[in-house]
Amino acid sequence: MFDFNESIINNAAGKTLICAHRGVSGGNIPCNTLAAFSAALMQGADMIELDVTKSRDGRFFVFHPGKERAHLGKHRVISAMRGDCVKKLRFINIDNDKTQFCVNELCEVLDYLRGKCYINVDKFWTDIPGISKEIRRAGVEKQVVVKTELKDKYLKPLKECAADMMFMPVIDNEDNVTDMLKSTGINCIGAEVLFENENAPVASYEYISSMHKKGMLLFVNAEVFYYKTVLSAGHNDDVSVTDDPEKGWGWLIDRGFDIIQTDWCGALKIFTENRKKQ
């Protein structure tokens, strides 16, 4: 467990932090549930990524917007439902059978994760003021990492409502944006990078080294949510678990990435620990 009063930069020093994408799901345990987050902690996750969506009456729930049909077996989206109706929903499992797991409110999940791990709040940009209030209400500001694309419509409310929170822009090119963000008072701790090929500037040793010299962390996505969408030049979970983890996770570690997001938290944990012993 980390000392969250310490900088995440210090806590990540000499390590590869493992971020569990929507927790750890499988069998009867659906993603983005308290059960999935419990499984992620059991498998050694340092950070847990979760998605946020908002009901029609303004209540925040942990759920990936647009996935209602896949994860709930419903065509109606949560954003069109009242919160009390959302609370009655139950996730379905990988066999499309109903489970006992409900859609939790964001406040419930933040309370559960308080003091246990870092928390990567995805879809933060959908309501920066509202989600920021939930984070502060739960008292987990020192655990939460938020992110947005580099758009003025996001950066303005970020500066107004969450400038002190750990922030990572989502980028696909090298342009010193982290320096710019820090100069405006935003607590930028690094960047989440996307790259389709190994020669991309944001995947170069030079860029990664320069970011580390500035005390910045680099977050990379190994998860595969659609096989045609390339997030890390093919060095992903699929190749790691079906071929050779050195070609996937190993390449990302050797390149110097600090945080790897994965759907295979336990396997990545074992891989990193075995690597240290060699």
Side-chain angles (χ1 to χ4, degrees), residues 75-275:
H75 291 280
R76 194 178 181 196
V77 296
I78 286 176
S79 60
M81 303 173 66
R82 294 184 60 84
D84 56 352
C85 294
V86 177
K87 293 293 287 184
K88 296 176 183 178
L89 297 172
R90 293 295 180 268
F91 280 87
I92 56 177
N93 63 23
I94 61 172
D95 290 325
N96 205 35
D97 291 321
K98 183 181 289 188
T99 74
Q100 69 271 39
F101 301 110
C102 68
V103 181
N104 289 105
E105 291 191 64
L106 177 60
C107 59
E108 296 173 312
V109 174
L110 294 179
D111 284 345
Y112 175 74
L113 294 177
R114 187 187 298 111
K116 295 177 180 175
C117 64
Y118 286 105
I119 307 165
N120 181 4
V121 177
D122 203 358
K123 311 303 180 291
F124 176 69
W125 57 85
T126 59
D127 188 340
I128 292 173
I131 296 174
S132 295
K133 286 181 181 178
E134 292 293 315
I135 292 169
R136 296 190 193 284
R137 188 177 293 122
V140 293
E141 299 96 317
K142 293 182 179 180
Q143 292 175 241
V144 166
V145 176
V146 296
K147 61 187 179 183
T148 71
E149 294 180 349
L150 284 170
K151 296 180 179 180
D152 288 340
K153 65 179 180 179
Y154 301 142
L155 296 181
K156 185 176 185 293
L158 175 69
K159 284 188 274 190
E160 293 173 350
C161 305
D164 59 315
M165 293 185 191
M166 293 182 287
F167 175 72
M168 283 187 166
V170 180
I171 63 174
D172 57 9
N173 59 76
E174 177 190 359
D175 55 9
N176 294 319
V177 294
T178 52
D179 293 338
M180 177 275 290
L181 291 168
K182 287 187 75 70
S183 71
T184 65
I186 291 174
N187 182 23
C188 182
I189 63 164
E192 177 178 328
V193 298
L194 309 175
F195 53 98
E196 293 187 356
N197 63 75
E198 295 177 2
N199 297 321
V202 293
S204 69
Y205 287 114
E206 293 77 14
Y207 173 72
I208 294 171
S209 176
S210 70
M211 288 287 281
H212 288 163
K213 288 177 181 177
K214 297 176 186 178
M216 297 284 179
L217 300 177
L218 287 166
F219 181 109
V220 68
N221 296 279
E223 84 279 8
V224 179
F225 57 84
Y226 178 50
Y227 76 98
K228 290 186 177 181
T229 301
V230 181
L231 303 176
S232 54
H235 302 287
N236 55 35
D237 284 346
D238 282 10
V239 71
S240 297
V241 300
T242 64
D243 185 1
D244 181 356
E246 288 294 344
K247 295 179 182 178
W249 303 324
W251 189 93
L252 298 174
I253 293 169
D254 290 341
R255 188 59 53 131
F257 290 105
D258 305 283
I259 307 170
I260 298 178
Q261 181 163 245
T262 178
D263 283 316
W264 296 84
C265 179
L268 176 53
K269 183 72 172 181
I270 293 170
F271 175 70
T272 57
E273 289 180 345
N274 287 340
R275 253 187 158 219

Side-chain angles (χ1 to χ4, degrees), residues 34-55:
L34 290 181
F37 303 145
S38 175
L41 293 172
M42 183 183 70
Q43 293 187 17
D46 303 296
M47 179 183 289
I48 288 176
E49 185 259 5
L50 55 84
D51 299 289
V52 181
T53 192
K54 186 166 66 171
S55 66

Side-chain angles (χ1 to χ4, degrees), residues 10-49:
N10 293 338
N11 283 332
K15 304 174 184 175
T16 302
L17 300 187
I18 297 173
C19 179
H21 180 232
R22 307 180 197 172
V24 170
S25 58
N28 192 56
I29 296 180
C31 66
N32 270 323
T33 60
L34 290 181
F37 303 145
S38 175
L41 293 172
M42 183 183 70
Q43 293 187 17
D46 303 296
M47 179 183 289
I48 288 176
E49 185 259 5

